[in-house]
């Protein structure tokens, strides 16, 4: 076999081989943290080869380019941060098993394939690899009924969305005679829109809507986010969402780009509905994980604005936003994990009462993440929203930008309520004991510094996103 034909797949091959190695090593190593370290080293090696693996494999079915590379870096950051905040947490949950890290790697491998898919069949294979691993991870704490329920709900709704995706792919193949995304673009440009093609586009839009939690296809998110292990909730809130947007963007802007005037209106309605549902229902939540689940729904509504805008500016703004979202959201979940101890969940809003008095540094970090998620300067969240809304205005959707800003202002209520509980209320009962480990501390330090650094100096990230989107 000519090695050049599979060279673009080198990072994926490294991750796949490493995941299998992790499964073997797990059998002979008692200290499971070592397995986590092995997964981080594997990711670092794969990341090194990403810029060197650009090209196409299998006749364009797999594409390694700047667009996919940017998302792969998000997936790797997501994996590394999740491993860092998992080691101590898994011991507390009595679920410290090595296959946990292998499943995270297989799920990440699925995300990488989705981002590089130049063909709908390859996209489906990547999506299923990601989803099946994540279903197991959601139910990883086998003795916890909430975790089992989360896995079952996620599996059932995930299977439903996969069926819709397959049905849409089947219809598109029947109409265009191909599953190659670029050839689909050429075929639909020639044929124009017709009713069967519109139906197939809607099927795919609904399937992607499930994966990235757009309303009204978001109903799995709150229960799964609440019931899954908190470290996996952090993982799911970033990785699968970014992978969904990577595939969403490539399929709709390349495959259905010539018909963008026909499907943009549907996407605008979904975006507004998602921002409304996510932000308004989040106000009513007293569980932080559920609140962040609805917050995640709202952020999907913002990110989809990038696909609506399209072009280099729109896609770059979406990619930039998802990169920033990875750090600020995982940072918030890391603080929740830090509060978790034997017999204390640390998930309720009440658990954050007076945290600034008992643990001022932990409260300060949570404040940074809440400010960033709200979009308050000088945090990275402000930069993400600013450039996203700027792209929306630049495309002529001024009224849509105004709507997004209004919903962003509404979100300040539930994010700043956490800050109010930490800084303006007195602690009740015994002081919360922090479960801080060196790896969790490192994850918190990285996320906090990156959120502040990008807020002050965003130019390198913006340039990287534009280069990748172009």
């Amino acid at each position: 076999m000519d090695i050049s034909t599979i060279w673009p797949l080198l990072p994926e091959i490294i991750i796949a081989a490493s995941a299998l190695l992790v499964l073997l090593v797990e059998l002979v190593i008692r200290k499971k943290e070592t397995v986590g370290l092995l997964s981080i080293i594997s990711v670092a090696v794969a990341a090194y080869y990403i810029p060197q693996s650009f090209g196409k494999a299998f006749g364009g079915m797999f594409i390694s380019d700047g667009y996919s590379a940017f998302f792969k870096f998000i997936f790797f950051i997501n994996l590394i941060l999740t491993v860092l905040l998992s080691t101590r947490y898994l011991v507390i949950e009595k679920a410290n098993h090595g296959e946990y890290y292998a499943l995270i790697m297989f799920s990440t491998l699925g995300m990488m394939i989705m981002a590089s898919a130049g063909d709908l069949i390859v996209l489906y294979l990547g999506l299923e690899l990601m989803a099946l691993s994540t279903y197991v991870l959601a139910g990883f704490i086998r003795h916890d009924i909430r975790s089992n329920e989360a896995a079952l709900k996620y599996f059932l709704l995930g299977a439903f969305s996969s069926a819709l995706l397959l049905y849409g792919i089947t219809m598109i193949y029947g109409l265009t005679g191909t599953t190659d995304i670029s050839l689909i673009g050429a075929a639909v440009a020639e044929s124009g829109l017709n009713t069967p093609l519109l139906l197939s586009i809607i099927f795919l839009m609904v399937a992607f809507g499930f994966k990235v939690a757009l309303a009204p296809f978001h109903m799995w998110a709150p229960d799964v986010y609440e019931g899954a292990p908190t470290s996996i909730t952090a993982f799911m809130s970033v990785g699968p969402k970014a992978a969904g947007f990577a595939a969403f963007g490539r399929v709709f802007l390349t495959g259905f780009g010539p018909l963008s005037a026909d499907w943009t209106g549907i996407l605008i309605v979904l975006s507004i509905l998602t921002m409304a549902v996510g932000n308004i229902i989040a106000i009513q939540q007293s569980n932080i994980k559920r609140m962040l689940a609805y917050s995640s729904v709202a952020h999907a509504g913002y990110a989809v604005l990038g696909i609506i805008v399209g072009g280099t500016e729109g896609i770059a703004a979406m990619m930039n936003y998802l990169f920033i979202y990875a750090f600020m959201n995982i940072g918030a979940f890391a603080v929740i994990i830090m509060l978790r101890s034997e017999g204390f969940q640390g998930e309720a809003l009440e658990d954050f009462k007076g945290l600034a008095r008992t643990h001022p540094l932990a409260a300060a970090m949570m404040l940074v993440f809440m400010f960033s998620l709200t979009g308050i300067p000088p945090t990275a969240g402000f930069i993400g929203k600013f450039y996203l809304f700027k792209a929306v205005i630049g495309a002529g959707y001024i009224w849509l930008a105004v709507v997004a800003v209004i919903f962003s202002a509404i979100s300040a209520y539930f994010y700043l309520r956490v800050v109010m509980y930490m800084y303006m209320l007195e602690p009740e009962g015994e002081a919360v004991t922090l479960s801080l480990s060196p790896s969790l501390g490192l994850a918190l330090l990285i996320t906090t510094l990156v959120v502040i650094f990008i807020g002050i100096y965003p130019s390198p990230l913006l340039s990287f996103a534009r280069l990748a989107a172009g």
Side-chain angles (χ1 to χ4, degrees), residues 81 84-85 327 330-339 361-362 365-366 368-369 434-451:
L81 291 176
L84 289 177
L85 54 85
F327 287 96
I330 292 180
F333 279 110
V335 175
I336 298 172
I337 288 175
M338 192 162 57
L339 265 59
L361 188 57
M365 288 179 171
M366 194 62 165
V368 169
F369 300 133
L434 299 183
S435 298
L436 186 60
S437 64
S439 62
L440 179 58
L442 179 61
L444 276 164
L445 183 64
I446 292 170
T447 49
T448 307
L449 290 180
V450 170
V451 166

Side-chain angles (χ1 to χ4, degrees), residues 176-198:
T176 63
T178 180
T179 52
D180 184 299
I181 294 172
S182 58
L183 294 180
I184 290 171
V188 300
E190 187 177 338
S191 68
L193 188 67
N194 51 55
T195 304
L197 187 56
L198 179 62

Side-chain angles (χ1 to χ4, degrees), residues 386-434:
F386 176 80
Y387 282 96
L388 193 57
F389 298 162
K390 183 184 170 194
V392 174
I393 292 171
Y397 297 106
I398 298 173
W399 65 273
L400 186 56
V402 171
V403 170
V405 169
I406 290 172
F407 282 120
S408 184
I410 291 172
S411 74
Y413 176 85
F414 55 85
Y415 289 131
L416 298 185
R417 188 172 55 167
V418 179
V419 176
M420 187 270 287
Y421 267 66
M422 292 191 298
Y423 283 89
M424 301 178 71
L425 297 181
E426 295 293 329
E428 291 180 354
E430 295 183 8
V432 175
T433 303
L434 299 183

Side-chain angles (χ1 to χ4, degrees), residues 256-318:
F256 302 131
L259 305 177
S260 61
D262 298 297
W263 51 258
T264 298
I266 304 173
L267 217 50
I268 288 174
V269 172
L270 288 178
S271 172
I272 294 172
L273 185 63
T274 303
M275 288 187 279
V277 168
N279 284 312
I280 292 172
I281 301 183
I283 291 173
Q284 305 164 13
Q285 305 305 313
S286 58
N287 181 291
I288 299 281
K289 285 172 73 175
R290 285 188 76 86
M291 185 270 278
L292 288 175
Y294 282 106
S295 150
S296 170
V297 172
H299 284 281
Y302 301 134
V304 85
L305 293 173
I307 298 176
I308 292 168
V309 172
T312 301
E313 285 303 310
I315 295 302
M318 178 190 74

Side-chain angles (χ1 to χ4, degrees), residues 4-9 55-64 116 118 122:
S4 63
T5 58
I6 60 168
W7 182 255
L9 283 142
K56 294 183 179 181
F58 306 118
M61 294 178 80
F62 185 92
I63 303 169
S64 178
S116 283
V122 175

Side-chain angles (χ1 to χ4, degrees), residues 25 53 63 101 109 116 125 140 164 181 194 197 206-207 230 232 247 262 278 331 374 409 412 420 433-434 459 461:
V25 170
S53 65
I63 303 169
Y101 301 103
L109 176 62
S116 283
L125 291 175
F140 200 76
L164 289 175
I181 294 172
N194 51 55
L197 187 56
V206 171
T230 307
I232 293 305
D262 298 297
T374 308
M420 187 270 287
T433 303
L434 299 183
S459 300
L461 175 63

Side-chain angles (χ1 to χ4, degrees), residues 1 98 162 205 318 439 443:
M1 176 185 289
S162 293
M205 194 176 284
M318 178 190 74
S439 62

